[in-house]
Amino acid sequence: MSMASVFLVLSLAIVMVGSVSSSKFDELFQPSWALDHFTYEGETLQMKLDNYSGAGFSSKSKYMFGKVTIQIKLVEGDSAGTVTAFYMSSDGPNHNEFDFEFLGNTSGEPYLVQTNVYVNGVGNREQRLNLWFDPTKDFHSYSILWNQRQVVFLVDETPVRVHSNLEDKGVPFPKDQPMGVYSSIWNADDWATRGGLVKTDWAHAPFVASYTGFDIDACECPPTASPDDNARRCGSGEKRYWWDGPTLAELSLHQSHQLLWVRANHMVYDYCSDSARFPVTPVECLHHRH
């Protein structure tokens, strides 16, 4: 084996230490409520919402930094009033959270995706976009990439949102709380579709969301570990992970162009532009380049 090959093997070994990667639901996740609303067909999981209950699942572990991906096929037909969510969240009132929320629609209308970022318990950072495909016909991948420099929301590997670390501008950044990975489907007809004007039509129930391609490649945090232990394990102190590489400190030029395309053609709401809600522009909006 050449020295170059030895170096490559050692490098890969270093990158993989402490991280988790898998593709099977039951290795990574567990139902968290309404177990009778789950159906398993091979590698595909289906969760349903009816007028009795929604359903949800959660990861068995918590993580700090890495990439989480799930492939989802959203509710077909008239799904107005329903919300299917895929998100990461820490615990407690001062929690951090990264949200994908898929807002149902009446047949033929665009499916809206709302993203949000909570830092230290404070959210109100909503963005909404319509997708450039029908998300009910096939599975599409939805990912959250999280490192110490940025949080990136991706749809089929196309970035649709970036939340950059602007601590040097006095903006707090989520980097010290382990987060679980969650998904749920529930009735939100008080706000989800046209601000709550369109209510859920239970004649179309059950509403079914399908999942496959579960993947968590992230730094796992044992439940007994202290914050300092997690910082040492998952931060840049002891080990370097692939998501800490210099190429992932910011978007590539190609990704920047993709994000600009998404914003120009598919974004329908950005909290940074909502002067009625925010007469004073939020600080991060003044500095985010995207």
Side-chain angles (χ1 to χ4, degrees):
M1 183 180 285
S2 67
M3 287 302 294
S5 299
V6 171
F7 179 76
L8 177 60
V9 170
L10 289 173
S11 298
L12 289 172
I14 290 171
V15 166
M16 290 307 296
V17 167
S19 68
V20 173
S21 185
S22 181
S23 60
K24 296 193 182 303
F25 174 81
D26 57 3
E27 292 176 3
L28 297 172
F29 295 95
Q30 57 196 4
S32 46
W33 47 291
L35 273 63
D36 60 343
H37 283 50
F38 285 73
T39 305
Y40 302 90
E41 296 179 359
E43 296 296 307
T44 300
L45 162 71
Q46 294 184 330
M47 283 198 308
K48 71 176 182 180
L49 163 69
D50 56 27
N51 55 356
Y52 296 101
S53 178
F57 63 80
S58 59
S59 59
K60 295 179 179 180
S61 298
K62 288 187 166 59
Y63 307 90
M64 203 151 76
F65 308 126
K67 186 178 182 181
V68 177
T69 300
I70 295 181
Q71 295 179 32
I72 308 173
K73 183 161 61 173
L74 293 168
V75 177
E76 286 192 86
D78 185 347
S79 57
T82 72
V83 171
T84 305
F86 164 49
Y87 60 104
M88 298 182 71
S89 181
S90 59
D91 297 328
N94 296 318
H95 73 293
N96 300 327
E97 186 174 326
F98 313 138
D99 294 336
F100 273 110
E101 292 180 309
F102 304 94
L103 311 182
N105 61 90
T106 54
S107 298
E109 295 184 9
Y111 230 97
L112 287 180
V113 181
Q114 176 168 286
T115 60
N116 203 353
V117 175
Y118 284 75
V119 185
N120 297 332
V122 179
N124 299 321
R125 297 181 177 92
E126 298 92 346
Q127 292 181 354
R128 289 188 183 188
L129 60 135
N130 55 50
L131 293 167
W132 49 95
F133 53 82
D134 184 341
T136 71
K137 298 304 182 188
D138 295 293
F139 286 98
H140 292 268
S141 68
Y142 303 93
S143 305
I144 299 168
L145 170 68
W146 174 32
N147 60 31
Q148 297 182 77
R149 299 292 299 275
Q150 60 180 356
V151 180
V152 185
F153 295 76
L154 302 116
V155 175
D156 289 336
E157 292 302 307
T158 296
V160 298
R161 179 174 187 163
V162 175
H163 185 81
S164 302
N165 186 334
L166 296 170
E167 288 179 306
D168 60 334
K169 309 294 186 185
V171 179
F173 184 79
K175 65 173 190 178
D176 58 354
Q177 298 182 38
M179 302 175 82
V181 185
Y182 304 89
S183 185
S184 57
I185 181 170
W186 79 95
N187 178 39
D189 66 4
D190 57 332
W191 66 271
T193 305
R194 294 182 59 202
L197 293 177
V198 183
K199 301 301 182 182
T200 302
D201 183 352
W202 294 109
H204 295 288
F207 303 99
V208 177
S210 301
Y211 299 79
T212 192
F214 304 91
D215 189 75
I216 297 177
D217 190 351
C219 182
E220 187 172 1
C221 297
T224 57
S226 69
D228 288 344
D229 288 340
N230 289 329
R232 281 193 295 271
R233 179 183 294 104
C234 301
S236 57
E238 286 186 357
K239 309 181 187 77
R240 288 198 66 81
Y241 298 97
W242 65 265
W243 53 81
D244 286 325
T247 58
L248 291 168
E250 58 184 13
L251 297 187
S252 67
L253 182 60
H254 175 62
Q255 289 177 317
S256 296
H257 289 160
Q258 288 180 310
L259 181 58
L260 288 171
W261 174 81
V262 169
R263 290 183 63 88
N265 294 284
H266 294 281
M267 181 168 285
V268 297
Y269 176 81
D270 182 3
Y271 78 105
C272 286
S273 305
D274 192 339
S275 57
R277 282 180 69 197
F278 303 102
V280 177
T281 303
V283 176
E284 67 264 25
C285 299
L286 300 174
H287 299 286
H288 273 141
R289 292 176 299 188
H290 305 294

